Structures are given as structure tokens and as C-alpha cells.
Amino acid sequence: MNHPRVPARLLASELVPGVAEALGNLDGWPRRDGAHWLVTRHEGTITLGKVDADPSRVLADRATWPDPDPDTSGTYCSPLPGGAMALSGREAVTVYEADGTVRWEHRHRDWEHSPESNAACAPDPAGRVLLAAMAGPLGADGLSKGDICRALDLATGEVLSEHLLPSRVAAYEFQEFPDARPEVLLTASMGQDGTLCFLITRTADGLDVRATGTVTEACVGVGPEGALVIQDIGGGYLTRTQDGTDDVLLEAGDVLPEEWMFVGYTPGFVDDKRILVVTAEEQWAEEGTHLLLDARTLRPLAELTYPQTPGVSAMPLGDGTWLTHDEDTVQRWTTA
């Protein structure tokens, strides 16, 4: 690739057992309450690690809970205000206090015969309700009428409102925007039926839910002013979409060597001006080339160089730094 080369400078590293597996989970890399987190599961324990605002460190602190059902896949964890944790499973949403006791549990219908589906949850940006995506009602024919998003009182678990979604039997993920917007992004991945994305806002009248952009893939990075960068599941293209602006499309073949593609499934904003993506010769490569792109035009700016060849995971933090991992060691980088 004929792009300028920019050295990556190591700022910090820290051992985080389970991080490699976490990055393959929908809840492994959430943004909550203005901070990034790592959610790991290791040896029967769930750990929530808050990424430090100080770029000379990786994690500011960690909190752990016993995993209530370590042999069941598809659970979704979210950090909550006050050091608590929410856990969405196939049949219930549970909020745990910082000391591990249960604050409340909200039970709901399971997705019958749909092991690929999973619920998700996140606090609203105001920190007063828990937004939870879960299986919805069945019609008279016994088929799903659509999944639902409920707003649950964060203190009591009371159902305050709900909204019927056009998605059904999906795998859900909540993402918060970096600039204190009142809405959150909910992605609903429905396998061969594609992915739907919604902006969800808690209002005095209930939940305001609207579709956003032209998102059709599950690999989405969120940026300032509601911008999204979407990576094609097959690695063939990137799209930047934002309400009120024209979409920007970048074909892999226009900027990468022949048959190379975008990989890693973690595109994201390094800062307001740059997006970081990973490329490789094949989708299942273990090593990749990291590219910086212009955050508005997707024009390639530079290829990052590291002391050793990096893997295919890169987690941009929005503050000019990003994380990678080497097995269970998490590393924090910036440009030299």
C-alpha cells in the first residue's frame, strides 16, 4: 500500500485475562457514562474494567462478580452508575449491586428455538432507566410480532414504557455516543436478514425509537455528532453515515492491495478527525495492517507501524489513543 507510514507509540500495557474472548462478544467493548469499558469472563468471574482517562494507563479500576451461569452463552453485561452491573439473559434482566447482591430481577419471554438471539441492556444517558431489548409478544399464529425495548426503572425494575421493534429474534447491542447525546444506538443483527439500527431516546411520554442511516451491517463504530462508521461483514467496504449528510462509501479494492479486505470488526473513531480500521489478506487472518482514515471523507491518511506486527483487533478510544491486545495483555497506543 502506498500510504505514508506513521509509528505507533506505546503508552501503557496491562494484563487483562479473557480479553481476547471478550472482543468476540457483543458486550465486550461498551461505552457507558462517558467512558469505555472492557467486559471479560474468566474462570467463572465477570470483570468490568473501566478504561482510564489518563492515557498513561489502561484501566482505572476493575470490579468483579461471580458469573451466575458461566456455561450459558448469550448473556449481555453492562456497567451501571454507582458501580452496579446489569445482566441480560434469555429469560430475565438482573441488576446487581456493587457488593454482588441482587437489586431486582425482571423476567420476560424467551426466544424459543432461537439460540442465535440474545438480549441486551444499557442505562439511558441520564442514568435513570435501564433500556432492555428482549423477546416480544407472539401473535395468534404463534409467531413473533417483533422484539421489544423496555424502559425499566433503574432503582426498582418497574416497567415504565416499552416499544415494539420491527426486528425479531435478533442479537442486540447498545452503544452510547461520545458527545453526551440523549439517545443511544441499538443494533439488531438478524443474520441473513441483515442488521437494523435504531436511535432510542427516553422521553416524558415513553420511548422514542427511530431508524438511523443506511446501516445494514453489525460492525458499527460511533462518533461525535451522531456519525457512524459501518464495516461490511465480508470486508468489502466501509460506509460513513450521519443524519443530514450524504453517506460516504469506501471500497476495499480502491485503497487496498488486490484481494485484501477490511477485517477485525472494530472500526472506530480515534478522535474527531481520524478513523482506525484493520486490513488483511483474508477474513480470518491473525495479523493485520492498521490504517488511519479521514473521519469525514474516509480518505486513507497513513499506515500505522508497530514494534511487531499487530493483530486484527484495534479499539479506538476517541481521545487520540487506541487499544490492541497481545493474547491477554492490553496495550494502549497513540501516534508518535
Side-chain angles (χ1 to χ4, degrees):
M1 287 180 284
N2 296 319
H3 306 307
R5 293 179 175 239
V6 173
R9 179 166 60 92
L10 182 64
L11 298 173
S13 62
E14 187 169 338
L15 184 66
V16 183
V19 67
E21 294 79 8
L23 297 180
N25 299 328
L26 291 174
D27 64 352
W29 178 235
R31 185 182 181 97
R32 301 287 188 268
D33 196 24
H36 289 282
W37 298 72
L38 288 174
V39 178
T40 59
R41 295 166 174 84
H42 184 69
E43 297 182 346
T45 298
I46 297 173
T47 300
L48 303 186
K50 183 179 182 180
V51 176
D52 205 313
D54 180 353
S56 68
R57 300 177 59 189
V58 175
L59 298 180
D61 49 53
R62 309 187 202 190
T64 62
W65 288 263
D67 191 336
D69 198 356
D71 297 324
T72 299
S73 61
T75 58
Y76 185 103
C77 295
S78 179
L80 297 177
M85 176 187 75
L87 181 66
S88 278
R90 293 184 61 84
E91 298 180 346
V93 183
T94 308
V95 169
Y96 295 88
E97 302 288 5
D99 63 5
T101 58
V102 174
R103 181 186 301 176
W104 52 258
E105 180 185 69
H106 174 77
R107 301 197 66 80
H108 54 81
R109 191 181 71 80
D110 187 10
W111 283 286
E112 299 179 44
H113 314 300
S114 300
E116 70 280 4
S117 303
N118 75 259
C121 59
D124 75 321
R128 298 189 181 93
V129 303
L130 185 71
L131 302 173
M134 60 188 70
L138 299 178
D141 56 4
L143 300 178
S144 172
K145 297 174 64 176
D147 295 331
I148 55 176
C149 182
R150 280 184 177 152
L152 306 171
D153 188 287
L154 201 48
T156 66
E158 176 188 358
V159 178
L160 302 176
S161 57
E162 69 176 50
H163 187 95
L164 184 67
L165 301 170
S167 50
R168 53 176 57 86
V169 291
Y172 289 95
E173 179 184 4
F174 281 101
Q175 297 190 62
E176 183 183 282
F177 287 91
D179 48 0
R181 299 169 68 86
E183 66 265 25
V184 296
L185 178 72
L186 175 64
T187 57
S189 179
M190 299 180 292
Q192 293 182 345
D193 293 329
T195 296
L196 300 178
C197 282
F198 312 99
L199 292 175
I200 299 182
T201 308
R202 165 72 174 158
T203 69
D205 297 324
L207 289 178
D208 178 66
V209 179
R210 63 184 179 91
T212 181
T214 57
V215 177
T216 57
E217 308 290 349
C219 311
V220 182
V222 297
E225 301 176 352
L228 306 175
V229 56
I230 304 103
Q231 181 177 316
D232 166 40
I233 293 290
Y237 62 86
L238 296 170
T239 306
R240 184 194 188 277
T241 186
Q242 183 179 7
D243 286 352
T245 66
D246 293 334
D247 288 353
V248 179
L249 177 69
L250 178 66
E251 298 279 357
D254 292 341
V255 294
L256 303 180
E258 186 177 358
E259 297 186 358
W260 276 52
M261 61 192 68
F262 299 110
V263 299
Y265 302 137
T266 55
F269 290 77
V270 173
D271 49 34
D272 292 356
K273 296 181 179 180
R274 299 175 297 173
I275 287 169
L276 175 57
V277 295
V278 183
T279 71
E281 292 184 81
E282 58 183 5
Q283 195 65 250
W284 307 114
E286 295 183 357
E287 297 180 341
T289 297
H290 296 197
L291 288 182
L292 292 174
L293 310 177
D294 184 279
R296 291 194 175 273
T297 67
L298 300 187
R299 178 178 59 86
L301 299 175
E303 175 184 331
L304 291 168
T305 61
Y306 294 83
Q308 61 187 43
T309 305
V312 296
S313 295
M315 295 145 280
L317 298 172
D319 63 353
T321 71
W322 65 94
L323 303 181
T324 65
H325 75 93
D326 182 3
E327 296 184 346
D328 282 342
T329 297
V330 178
Q331 300 162 322
R332 191 167 187 170
W333 305 86
T334 190
T335 48

